[in-house]
Amino acid sequence: GKIPTKIKIFMWLLMNDAILTKDNLLKRKWQGDLTCYFCDEPESISHLFFHCHVAKSVWAIVAKCFGADTVTGNLDQSWRWCDRWLPLGRKYHVLGVSAICWAIWKSRNKTCFDKIIIKSPLDIICHMCALMKYWAGLFAEPDREQLIEGINTMLRLANRILKRRREDQEDAGRILGGDQDGQDDTPA
């Protein structure tokens, strides 16, 4: 696949269950809190990349972009999932799955080391799209254009979801604040 060598190594480690998630650190005599940085479950490769609510949300947004009605549950499944929902884009599968996993890993590490907590899984989607746009430069012109078109579609969808989420939060805030109909009931 046309991805940077560093990411190829990361994916090799991921496929061989060698990424240093907390469960793997424990095997190396690390003593610390096993809790996932995104939720209250124990952190493992499977959990962090596929079963955590953050990872599930990321995969669900990607699925929505493809028109998929399922979400992948592990790395092996992700390749079959891509074949099923993006059969004509096989040359982009490694790039896409790698970008998703790398973006999740980088977000986890920002929380772990820099104490920067993501506000939404959409932050990971935006990071993933930025990575793919950058890596698109490794592809020949027609493939690059097709890839960038797909990335832009995903960003538009992610922005729509984010906008809808903000509107829902604002509506909930108005309701909780006693403004049931969205109108200001204070006298002039």
Side-chain angles (χ1 to χ4, degrees):
K2 296 186 179 193
I3 57 173
T5 303
K6 174 180 176 176
I7 308 305
K8 288 179 183 178
I9 293 167
F10 166 79
M11 290 303 291
W12 183 86
L13 290 168
L14 186 61
M15 287 187 270
N16 288 285
D17 293 325
I19 294 292
L20 292 179
T21 48
K22 290 182 176 184
D23 64 327
N24 282 335
L25 287 169
L26 188 65
K27 294 173 190 172
R28 295 174 175 220
K29 308 294 184 229
W30 173 76
Q31 295 177 355
D33 182 11
L34 284 175
T35 306
C36 173
Y37 287 102
F38 300 137
C39 71
D40 294 330
E41 298 294 319
E43 184 185 84
S44 66
I45 289 174
S46 175
H47 172 77
L48 178 64
F49 293 99
F50 298 98
H51 300 289
C52 177
H53 71 89
V54 171
K56 283 182 179 180
S57 295
V58 169
W59 286 103
I61 293 167
V62 172
K64 190 169 182 83
C65 289
F66 297 154
D69 61 6
T70 60
V71 177
T72 185
N74 62 52
L75 192 58
D76 289 336
Q77 255 183 22
S78 71
W79 307 118
R80 290 188 301 275
W81 184 78
C82 285
D83 282 339
R84 178 174 179 201
W85 295 107
L86 195 62
L88 301 177
R90 179 167 267 179
K91 59 187 151 196
Y92 307 123
H93 293 179
V94 170
L95 177 101
V97 171
S98 299
I100 293 167
C101 292
W102 184 249
I104 291 170
W105 182 245
K106 293 297 282 184
S107 293
R108 177 256 191 215
N109 287 344
K110 274 186 185 178
T111 303
C112 174
F113 301 114
D114 302 332
K115 308 300 182 228
I116 297 171
I117 300 170
I118 64 164
K119 294 177 183 76
S120 162
L122 292 169
D123 294 345
I124 295 173
I125 293 289
C126 291
H127 185 201
M128 175 199 76
C129 289
L131 289 168
M132 290 193 323
K133 206 170 241 187
Y134 184 72
W135 298 344
L138 300 172
F139 286 80
E141 191 57 40
D143 292 338
R144 184 178 319 132
E145 288 173 15
Q146 188 178 22
L147 189 54
I148 289 173
E149 183 181 323
I151 293 164
N152 289 336
T153 299
M154 191 168 309
L155 281 171
R156 278 192 301 277
L157 178 64
N159 282 324
R160 263 189 260 141
I161 292 169
L162 182 58
K163 182 181 177 189
R164 192 173 326 129
R165 183 175 172 207
R166 280 189 195 130
E167 290 169 353
D168 290 348
Q169 287 173 340
E170 288 170 4
D171 290 345
R174 279 194 296 273
I175 291 169
L176 290 173
D179 186 11
Q180 305 273 329
D181 60 4
Q183 302 295 316
D184 186 4
D185 293 331
T186 56

